[in-house]
Amino acid sequence: MALSRRLSYGDVTGFKFLFSLAFLYASMAAIAYFVLHMKHISPLPFDAPLDQFSEARAVEHIRVLSEENSGRQEGRPGLREAAAYIKTQLEMVKERAGPNLRVEVEEAQVDGSFSMMFIGHSISLGYRNHTNILMRISSMNSHDTDASVLMNAHYDSPINSPGAGDCGSCVASLLEIARLVVDSGWAPPRPIIFLFNGAEELFMLGSHGFMTQHKLKDTVGAFINLEASGTGGIDLVCQSGPGSWPSSVYSQAAVYPMAQSSAQVSLSLPLFHSMTDMNTHMIKPFCVYFISVIDYKLSCDIPQDIFDVFPGDTDYRMFAEDYGDIPGLDIIFLLGGYYYHTSFDTIDRIIPGSMQARGENLISVLKAFTSSPNLKVAGERKSLDVDADVDMVERAVLFDYLTRFMVYYPKRVAMVLHNVPSALFLVAPFFLYMRDSRTHPFLSVFWAFLKGLIQHTAGILLGVIFPVLFSVIRLLFANPMSWFAHSYLAFLMFIPCSFFGLLIPRTISDRVSHCQSFSSKNIMKVETSDEARFWGAFGVYAFVTSAYFFAGLGGGFLTFVICVSMLLGWIAFCLSVKSYGYDSIKSPMFYVIAMVPCLLYSVYFGGFLALFLIEKTGMIGVPPPFGFYLADVAVAAVIGLVTGLCIGPIIPICDRWLAKASILKFLLHFTVVMFAVSSQFFPYSKDAPKRIVLQHTVFSSGGNEITDSTYDLAVVDSNSMEFVFKHAPEVAEKLHAGPSFSLSNAEVSPQEAWLALFPVSCVVTKSGRFPAKANRIVERYSHLPHLKTHKPPTTLEDGTRRVHLELSLGSLEEIWVTVLNITGPLSGWSFADGKLPAPELPEGGPPSYLLRLSGNSSEKWIFWLEANSEEEVRVDVAVLDQRLDEETRHLKSLFPGWSDVIAYTSFLSTYFF
């Protein structure tokens, strides 16, 4: 009662309106969460009809792959067990095939060598004895040269992870699809190739082997690549092309369409710079901050959209860009990123309904692909006149509406549609002037429009600035990322202060208008002024839509939909004003109601973007000097931007009731309370683990002589090593780090210590080094990795010195990768067709060349290096072994349950030739 006496009638009405909007947006957020996590999908049981995709049957494959083997990492026996399981399942499918089908199953060993660019670094790769499993299903009247559809998934998993999501879910999906094709009695009009490749996590080596060596590579006319950056949820088409016909087929065929042109790159052009990590994914979120310095070398200046902000490579690159021009789709699970590449990527984390939606989409799109007239073999694609085929060069605009239906239109249509709002905004002042020409001078009308545009732009900017500012202030008194394990906290913290920022321009404008004797409101009545304010806000979205189009980006559809919805809302508002009056609260309610379909989509789109970022901040990296602030600032900025996207369109009509001092104070008080409350939450849990890298580094000087042994420890988010030791005193005690430990006073791991992780090593910026015992290493290994001359050096006719080398990996049994850093006057080598990659140029040091080797460790690597002078060539060798000694295993066990520790042993040695 006391509160109501202090508030005016307008304030009370404003609060009622505010809480009504809060309820509406909360309801829309619940619907978006419901859809994003596939809760509207009913998974089919194990005994579902054989002519339907069953999530339960697919999940059983995931269970076997993630639980019934000893790990699907390169170098571990579980990878061979997984290959045997996949082949056995395919053979069983083959036995059930009817007389109308020809089914072939093949196991292929691939090897090769090539060079690539990753995060601005050139690197060469050599590999051998990686296993691909293939199945080809075709009708009895098909030919070996017929154009086929390739479906690809990788069955290897990253270090330390069971790989249920990444990418056991992908393999399981294809196994169930292969069974469904055979058991349904469907005879595909074009052959289908199922490729299960065994080396994607090592820089897409399995798909490279297929594209460079397999006899069927030139018959592939389209492909679908399955990936997982999480454990389910939305299964987004993140890349499509070359050309727009693959996305066109998908938009027509998908049962639960999940695709947005803003999430795709312009894939008619090859990307030469991309990101990866110990495998092809992990670095993309691990060093998100690093992307600002990456220069994507495109054959022409086509900008990228949202998912270039989180760049990464998948097998898509091999099929569509580097080693082929095959049209296709890259479909990726994107939620559940907390568990991505961790030991928590287990079968119980698979989001129910995700596999069912993916499977039903895949079989429908597969049938559409096999029937498409655009399906052509490599020779036919090369003979096409690409310039004459508009579909091959233009980029379509597409988006799904809550997985219910797709909106798809080509770029030539977008050229008209996406520029109509800007044209409408430019002519609107003339219509308003002509309607009231005697009342309002044209310059007054024009200034009102311009002021409305400036005010709305300022509101959007302040809606981002205030959350960022508050997040920085909070970090002066609290730890970063307190919202990480409780994502709802981030929204409760940052949305109110963003909303506060959106309302500030209206508040300032009203105050200025009241203080000036000759203000615009004295010249122009309130209704007309607010109409100009509406058109100014409309102009912001209209110009953004046009800017998106002319920049070559695909995300302009969202602001275009906002423009259309604002016009519909304005019509509803004008009609309600005639019925209820301008001062009635019912009028803005009609405006909001008319915009609900658009607002719901904005919440769906923006909510996904925010959730995706929150889940990935656990591996965002710690770049100096502002790494401490990075995660909170990034999440605050994105939520501020999303708030502007979702609430901004209603501001020009609704701020008249909301931009009141009492409401602004309430928003500020609520923000302060939520910031204080959130600071009491612990950032991590088993459902949102903190990632820690523990490297047992063993230094040898050749042969079996060990010179040193250390533990190198690194964290990959904003909470530092001091945070870990504070909450895990057993670890600190084991590493002899006292309670006053500070990384600034501790020994820091040198960059070269992380050579085995290259190129991740280039972003490991905050790591500590601690002593370790080396007395039992020699007892465990009869031989350590060793590099020596294979035969005497030879001198070529041009005076070049060729050194013949032999690399033995000793008795190590679970080798993930071997990395060589070669420094000196190198002019050639026996890898990558004799071509050197671009050299690394460290400050104050000579150029060096990086080479990654993977494959059967029992065989020696025989190769040669050429030097163009007598100066010594230095070779640093780092071998990553996944086996741990007893002491390291004990140390790993001391870390708390809310952490995920990636632990391995790195053997380092240096040689001169």
Side-chain angles (χ1 to χ4, degrees):
M1 295 294 293
L3 177 63
S4 63
R5 285 196 297 268
R6 290 196 299 268
L7 295 178
S8 66
Y9 174 79
D11 288 338
V12 173
T13 303
F15 271 104
K16 289 180 179 179
F17 191 30
L18 175 66
F19 294 140
S20 298
L21 289 176
F23 177 78
L24 174 65
Y25 276 94
S27 301
M28 291 190 293
I31 294 173
Y33 183 89
F34 186 87
V35 173
L36 288 171
H37 290 80
M38 299 291 113
K39 295 184 181 297
H40 60 300
I41 306 296
S42 299
L44 293 185
F46 194 88
D47 59 354
L50 295 180
D51 61 350
Q52 296 183 38
F53 185 97
S54 163
E55 176 171 308
R57 286 192 286 258
V59 168
E60 175 60 18
H61 292 308
I62 301 177
R63 187 191 65 79
V64 174
L65 290 169
S66 61
E67 296 182 354
E68 292 191 4
N69 65 43
S70 54
R72 304 195 317 275
Q73 294 79 20
E74 169 58 32
R76 301 193 66 187
L79 190 62
R80 294 189 294 272
E81 296 168 11
Y85 174 79
I86 293 170
K87 188 175 181 181
T88 300
Q89 293 298 310
L90 297 180
E91 293 286 0
M92 292 169 59
V93 171
K94 178 180 178 180
E95 291 176 2
R96 295 201 303 273
N100 62 331
L101 295 177
R102 180 188 297 117
V103 180
E104 305 161 83
V105 178
E106 174 190 352
E107 179 177 330
Q109 302 293 318
V110 295
D111 52 62
S113 182
F114 63 104
S115 296
M116 300 182 75
M117 290 295 297
F118 292 95
I119 58 170
H121 295 265
S122 181
I123 185 171
S124 292
L125 303 102
Y127 65 95
R128 63 190 181 192
N129 299 330
H130 291 306
T131 303
N132 289 341
I133 310 295
L134 294 93
M135 168 185 269
R136 186 176 187 267
I137 302 177
S138 59
S139 62
M140 292 302 295
N141 58 359
S142 68
H143 301 89
D144 291 342
T145 57
D146 286 349
S148 57
V149 177
L150 173 70
M151 303 193 75
N152 175 74
H154 69 91
Y155 63 88
D156 62 321
S157 62
I159 293 176
N160 198 56
S161 176
D166 182 23
C167 210
S169 63
C170 311
V171 172
S173 298
L174 292 197
L175 287 175
E176 176 66 1
I177 290 291
R179 181 210 60 77
L180 177 56
V181 170
V182 169
D183 287 347
S184 65
W186 173 55
R190 306 287 185 90
I192 304 169
I193 301 172
F194 293 90
L195 171 61
F196 302 86
N197 82 75
E200 191 269 353
E201 302 289 359
L202 291 162
F203 296 125
M204 302 155 287
L205 303 182
S207 54
H208 176 270
F210 175 84
M211 289 301 296
T212 56
Q213 301 165 37
H214 202 276
K215 62 182 180 181
L216 295 176
K217 66 180 187 298
D218 290 332
T219 69
V220 178
F223 73 92
I224 301 173
N225 180 59
L226 297 186
E227 259 299 351
S229 185
T231 55
I234 188 170
D235 195 24
L236 196 67
V237 178
C238 289
Q239 302 183 89
S240 69
S244 61
W245 78 263
S247 55
S248 176
V249 170
Y250 178 89
S251 66
Q252 298 174 44
V255 180
Y256 305 102
M258 291 170 268
Q260 297 163 354
S261 49
S262 61
Q264 301 180 38
V265 294
S266 180
L267 290 167
S268 59
L269 304 175
L271 278 172
F272 295 107
H273 291 216
S274 298
M275 304 184 79
T276 185
D277 88 316
M278 304 179 206
N279 39 68
T280 43
H281 314 297
M282 194 169 167
I283 198 167
K284 59 186 172 188
F286 185 70
C287 28
V288 165
Y289 78 89
F290 199 68
I291 62 172
S292 60
V293 298
I294 299 174
D295 177 24
Y296 285 97
K297 302 298 183 183
L298 301 178
S299 56
C300 64
D301 296 328
I302 299 293
Q304 310 299 295
D305 276 45
I306 289 176
F307 273 85
D308 269 352
V309 179
F310 303 96
D313 275 331
T314 67
D315 287 321
Y316 182 100
R317 173 175 176 175
M318 293 295 165
F319 302 131
E321 299 167 4
D322 290 4
Y323 293 90
D325 60 347
I326 307 172
L329 303 172
D330 199 17
I331 304 178
I332 306 179
F333 278 152
L334 289 175
L335 294 182
Y338 287 126
Y339 322 115
Y340 172 68
H341 284 199
T342 72
S343 59
F344 294 90
D345 185 9
T346 53
I347 190 171
D348 58 301
R349 306 290 186 180
I350 300 295
I351 299 174
S354 304
M355 296 291 292
Q356 189 67 42
R358 166 177 273 188
E360 293 184 29
N361 277 349
L362 285 177
I363 189 63
S364 181
V365 174
L366 176 62
K367 289 181 177 180
F369 266 7
T370 57
S371 302
S372 174
N374 293 309
L375 196 68
K376 302 181 185 300
V377 299
E380 293 174 330
R381 290 196 303 272
K382 291 179 181 178
S383 65
L384 289 176
D385 183 2
V386 177
D387 293 331
D389 188 354
V390 176
D391 175 72
M392 291 297 293
V393 297
E394 76 169 16
R395 185 179 180 187
V397 175
L398 68 154
F399 61 95
D400 69 279
Y401 189 83
L402 280 67
T403 76
R404 292 300 179 181
F405 60 87
M406 285 283 294
V407 176
Y408 177 97
Y409 49 92
K411 188 175 181 179
R412 59 183 178 273
V413 175
M415 180 173 62
V416 177
L417 290 182
H418 288 195
N419 289 296
V420 166
S422 295
L424 188 59
F425 170 76
L426 293 176
V427 301
F430 295 95
F431 284 107
L432 186 58
Y433 169 71
M434 292 173 63
R435 189 184 69 190
D436 300 312
S437 59
R438 296 181 180 180
T439 308
H440 309 302
F442 178 76
L443 288 179
S444 176
V445 173
F446 178 79
W447 168 244
F449 271 62
L450 182 60
K451 187 170 70 171
L453 187 147
I454 294 173
Q455 286 182 3
H456 197 75
T457 302
I460 296 295
L461 293 176
L462 290 174
V464 175
I465 291 172
F466 274 99
V468 170
L469 181 62
F470 275 94
S471 71
V472 173
I473 294 174
R474 190 189 76 89
L475 291 178
L476 299 176
F477 311 99
N479 289 319
M481 300 176 62
S482 59
W483 38 261
F484 181 63
H486 315 276
S487 57
Y488 61 89
L489 285 176
F491 294 98
L492 291 175
M493 289 163 57
F494 298 126
I495 288 177
C497 54
S498 177
F499 193 19
F500 176 87
L502 289 170
L503 295 175
I504 285 293
R506 174 67 186 239
T507 304
I508 296 175
S509 176
D510 288 349
R511 293 290 176 88
V512 171
S513 298
H514 281 97
C515 295
Q516 293 179 349
S517 57
F518 296 100
S519 66
S520 60
K521 286 195 173 184
N522 289 331
I523 300 173
M524 185 177 293
K525 60 182 180 179
V526 174
E527 293 89 339
T528 307
S529 177
D530 284 349
E531 182 176 358
R533 195 189 311 274
F534 165 81
W535 283 107
F538 178 87
V540 172
Y541 300 107
F543 288 146
V544 170
T545 303
S546 295
Y548 258 96
F549 175 80
F550 289 112
L553 301 175
F557 67 85
L558 183 54
T559 48
F560 172 73
V561 170
I562 289 175
C563 290
V564 173
S565 299
M566 288 181 71
L567 290 176
L568 296 176
W570 177 252
I571 294 172
F573 175 74
C574 292
L575 293 175
S576 64
V577 165
K578 291 182 179 180
S579 301
Y580 303 103
Y582 188 78
D583 293 325
S584 171
I585 192 65
K586 295 181 180 179
S587 297
M589 286 183 175
F590 275 95
Y591 175 82
V592 173
I593 291 171
M595 287 201 67
V596 163
C598 170
L599 298 178
L600 176 58
Y601 182 78
S602 297
V603 171
Y604 166 75
F605 179 89
F608 158 70
L609 186 61
L611 281 175
F612 177 77
L613 176 64
I614 289 172
E615 293 180 351
K616 293 304 183 187
T617 52
M619 31 187 181
I620 203 170
V622 194
F626 303 113
F628 179 78
Y629 300 95
L630 179 61
D632 280 76
V633 168
V635 169
V638 168
I639 291 181
L641 187 63
V642 168
T643 303
L645 189 70
C646 298
I647 300 179
I650 70 171
I651 288 296
I653 298 300
C654 301
D655 60 358
R656 180 166 173 252
W657 284 266
L658 298 173
K660 300 180 181 297
S662 57
I663 291 180
L664 294 178
K665 290 178 182 178
F666 170 78
L667 292 174
L668 279 181
H669 290 162
F670 188 87
T671 298
V672 172
V673 170
M674 287 313 306
F675 272 74
V677 170
S678 68
S679 300
Q680 306 305 310
F681 283 76
F682 192 71
Y684 308 103
S685 69
K686 289 185 178 180
D687 294 325
K690 179 177 179 60
R691 299 163 189 261
I692 300 170
V693 181
L694 172 61
Q695 175 178 282
H696 182 197
T697 311
V698 179
F699 299 88
S700 66
S701 60
N704 277 17
E705 182 182 352
I706 295 177
T707 58
D708 197 7
S709 177
T710 63
Y711 289 122
D712 293 286
L713 194 66
V715 295
V716 294
D717 66 22
S718 296
N719 280 305
S720 66
M721 204 177 303
E722 290 92 332
F723 177 92
V724 175
F725 288 160
K726 176 183 177 181
H727 296 280
E730 301 88 352
V731 176
E733 181 181 355
K734 180 68 175 178
L735 294 175
H736 307 290
S740 60
F741 172 84
S742 173
L743 189 59
S744 59
N745 300 324
E747 182 181 0
V748 177
S749 302
Q751 195 70 28
E752 55 268 21
W754 300 98
L755 178 61
L757 293 187
F758 187 87
V760 176
S761 56
C762 67
V763 294
V764 176
T765 55
K766 284 195 174 183
S767 57
R769 169 163 287 183
F770 306 89
K773 297 178 182 179
N775 54 344
R776 296 195 176 180
I777 298 295
V778 177
E779 297 177 8
R780 180 166 185 172
Y781 300 99
S782 58
H783 297 90
L784 297 180
H786 181 60
L787 180 66
K788 64 179 183 180
T789 55
H790 174 57
K791 61 182 180 180
T794 56
T795 302
L796 305 182
E797 294 181 358
D798 60 358
T800 300
R801 177 168 55 95
R802 177 175 290 184
V803 182
H804 303 270
L805 300 176
E806 173 186 286
L807 174 62
S808 170
L809 300 178
S811 56
L812 279 60
E813 297 178 0
E814 295 186 0
I815 296 175
W816 170 264
V817 71
T818 300
V819 180
L820 276 61
N821 181 22
I822 305 168
T823 307
L826 194 67
S827 59
W829 60 9
S830 54
F831 297 100
D833 297 324
K835 300 177 181 178
L836 293 175
E840 294 290 301
L841 299 172
E843 291 186 16
S848 60
Y849 302 85
L850 278 299
L851 172 69
R852 287 175 57 106
L853 301 175
S854 65
N856 194 328
S857 60
S858 62
E859 300 178 18
K860 297 177 180 179
W861 288 91
I862 307 297
F863 60 97
W864 50 261
L865 305 175
E866 290 181 352
N868 54 17
S869 75
E870 292 300 319
E871 181 184 348
E872 284 187 320
V873 174
R874 170 174 171 162
V875 182
D876 297 300
V877 179
V879 183
L880 193 158
D881 186 18
Q882 297 165 84
R883 295 187 66 182
L884 305 175
D885 61 21
E886 184 176 346
E887 185 174 354
T888 306
R889 285 198 300 270
H890 175 64
L891 174 60
K892 180 181 178 181
S893 69
L894 297 178
F895 284 87
W898 45 263
S899 65
D900 182 76
V901 183
I902 301 174
Y904 58 90
T905 305
S906 178
F907 292 85
L908 293 178
S909 54
T910 301
Y911 308 87
F912 295 89
F913 302 98

